[in-house]
């Protein structure tokens, strides 16, 4: 009976650690917010060919946290001048 209690205790601890890793319990959300606030460079916001092929350039920029296309074009022009 004692071995059964130990087995259930070990299983409970193992599953709780697995669940916390899976669901991200204990993640530091402030790091994610800080990364979201950083502006992306023109290289990071270059639209891939597949997005261009299906006409989803603006959606790709939006979903990847990039500024709208006009602002990206301006930043590329500024980098080219440097």
């Amino acid at each position: 009976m004692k071995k059964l209690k130990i087995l259930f205790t070990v299983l409970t601890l193992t599953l709780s650690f697995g669940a916390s890793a899976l669901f991200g319990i204990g993640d530091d959300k402030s790091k994610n917010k800080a990364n979201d606030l950083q502006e992306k460079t023109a290289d990071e916001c270059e639209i891939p060919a597949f997005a261009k092929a299906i006409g989803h350039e603006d959606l790709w920029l939006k979903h990847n946290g990039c500024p709208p296309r006009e602002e990206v074009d301006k930043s590329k022009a500024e980098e080219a001048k440097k």
Side-chain angles (χ1 to χ4, degrees):
M1 191 67 166
K2 186 175 182 178
K3 289 183 180 181
L4 192 59
K5 285 183 181 179
I6 292 172
L7 176 66
F8 282 127
T9 304
V10 170
L11 284 174
T12 303
L13 290 174
T14 304
L15 292 175
S16 65
F17 286 127
S20 66
L22 179 66
F23 296 116
I25 298 171
D27 274 352
D28 188 10
K29 302 292 183 192
S30 64
K31 289 181 184 177
N32 295 337
K33 289 180 183 175
N35 290 339
D36 292 342
L37 296 176
Q38 294 176 351
E39 289 190 25
K40 296 196 173 201
T41 63
D43 292 335
E44 293 173 332
C45 289
E46 187 171 336
I47 302 168
F50 73 88
K52 290 179 182 178
I54 60 174
H56 285 196
E57 295 95 341
D58 295 325
L59 281 175
W60 188 90
L61 291 171
K62 180 181 177 184
H63 287 286
N64 288 289
C66 296
R69 202 179 325 181
E70 297 83 28
E71 293 179 25
V72 172
D73 293 340
K74 288 178 186 177
S75 65
K76 283 184 180 180
E78 289 174 4
E79 285 183 11
K81 289 179 183 179
K82 291 178 183 180

